[in-house]
Structures are given as structure tokens and as C-alpha cells.
Amino acid sequence: CVRAASKLTEAGFTEIKETDPWAEKSMLKPGGKYFYTRAASTIVAFAIGAAFEAGNGFKVIGAHTDSPVLKVKPISKKSAHGYMQVGVECYGGGLWHTWFDRDLSLAGALIVEKDGGGFDRKLVHIQRPLLRVPNLCIHLQTADERSKFEVNKENHLVPILAMMDKELNKTAEGEGGCDERHASELVRLLAAEAGCRPE
């Protein structure tokens, strides 16, 4: 939304608030161009014709863009077989078999507590490999097993973040104390990217 809002402003659009009483404040004028955002994920832009009169009608063009993604769950802390994992849920109609054995990263919005009280929304994008959804080596499967493999989105698509002994050593050194719903390593990574304290 930030980039789109900047482009609209450059093109002569005026930002308004969705919650303002537009009619009462006479905010909208014939020939005007306006936009508003919602939850930093939706943007609505519109232009009013110079000869517009109430009752004339209007035209609407809508667009929707998103991509299949593995979304971090509200309680994401998981582990299995000595590995620290991140609980995720599938969003969208992905070709999930293509997500195996790829370097994965993290991006999205964080809600962080401000020093003076209240909360702020920060966008993060860690531009380096962090996670991986491993696949069984080809020589450990028969051709028949490979052809019959069906992705179980709940069990097979859980990315690995780190080895458990690495996490245990950090906790032993007194670096723990993070939110128990998420792996402390994950919280520390996101906090560092957002420039805030992990809690």
C-alpha cells in the first residue's frame, strides 16, 4: 500500500480517511481525485468527473492481487526430530509440491509496542534464506513412492528454522524470555529486523 499510495500522490490524488464524514465536510469536489487505505493492505482510489452531479451513477473497476503463501500461525512454535520448526498454514491455491527444498524467507507486518505506550505496525522483509521444507532424498524413495506422494498441507509443509541444540544453548546462555507461542529464535530474528526488543 505504501508504494501505491506514493504513486497516487505523485499523480495528483489526495489521501482521505475512510472514517471521515465526506459529505458533511464537503471533502469531495467535482474533478477531484482521492484515495484511502484500510489496514495497510487495501487501497481504494477514485476520481470524480468534472460534470458529476448526485444521481448520475458511477463506474467501478476492482483488482485483487495475492499469491499463495505459507502464513505463520498465531502459535507457531513446533519441533520434531531435533529440529525447531515454524507452524504455518497454506494460503491460496499453491502448487505446494514446488515449495520443497527451496530457500524460504519471512515477510509481512508486525505489531510492536511503542516505548511511550500504544502499538505500531512495521513491515519486515528478511532478504536471506531462513527456512526450508525438506524433502526425502531421491535415493531413499522408490519410483513408485515418488509417483504416489501427495502433499499433506498440515504435516508436510512445516519449515525447519534451526537445530534444537542451537536453541537450547542460547536459552542456557540467558537469551530466553521470549513469547512462548513462538520459537525464541524466530522472535529474535523478527525483532532485529523491526528494530525493537524481543519479548
Side-chain angles (χ1 to χ4, degrees):
C1 269
V2 175
R3 185 171 293 174
S6 175
K7 293 281 187 187
L8 287 169
T9 301
E10 289 173 12
F13 283 73
T14 301
E15 184 171 9
I16 57 177
K17 292 185 178 177
E18 182 182 11
T19 54
D20 283 347
W22 300 344
E24 288 177 23
K25 293 187 175 181
S26 300
M27 295 171 63
L28 307 183
K29 308 287 186 189
K33 299 188 291 186
Y34 308 92
F35 75 93
Y36 66 85
T37 61
R38 180 189 297 170
S41 61
T42 299
I43 191 162
V44 176
F46 58 95
I48 301 173
F52 174 79
E53 292 181 9
N56 277 3
F58 54 90
K59 295 178 182 176
V60 176
I61 299 172
H64 171 76
T65 60
D66 65 12
S67 300
V69 68
L70 299 177
K71 296 180 80 170
V72 177
K73 290 183 175 180
I75 300 175
S76 69
K77 189 173 186 178
K78 291 190 80 170
S79 64
H81 310 293
Y83 292 98
M84 187 188 336
Q85 298 175 294
V86 178
V88 296
E89 60 185 339
C90 297
Y91 175 82
L95 298 173
W96 301 116
H97 66 281
T98 66
W99 288 63
F100 288 85
D101 295 325
R102 288 179 179 263
D103 292 332
L104 303 176
S105 185
L106 286 167
L110 297 177
I111 305 300
V112 298
E113 188 174 4
K114 294 192 281 191
D115 289 334
F119 297 93
D120 198 9
R121 182 188 188 107
K122 291 197 174 187
L123 297 177
V124 296
H125 181 192
I126 302 176
Q127 298 190 41
R128 66 181 188 277
L130 296 174
L131 306 160
R132 183 171 281 260
V133 180
N135 203 349
L136 193 61
C137 297
I138 191 168
H139 60 275
L140 296 178
Q141 297 173 303
T142 66
D144 192 43
E145 286 172 327
R146 287 194 299 275
S147 67
K148 291 181 178 176
F149 177 68
E150 291 184 15
V151 178
N152 180 313
K153 293 188 283 188
E154 194 64 33
N155 296 328
H156 296 150
L157 287 169
V158 183
I160 289 175
L161 178 63
M163 295 286 291
M164 286 298 293
D165 60 346
K166 179 181 176 186
E167 172 65 11
L168 292 172
N169 289 338
K170 287 196 173 183
T171 303
E173 292 166 9
E175 296 183 14
C178 292
D179 188 332
E180 289 297 317
R181 296 172 298 173
H182 306 283
S184 56
E185 182 68 19
L186 176 65
V187 174
R188 280 192 288 267
L189 281 166
L190 293 172
E193 193 71 19
C196 63
R197 294 186 308 276
E199 293 180 0

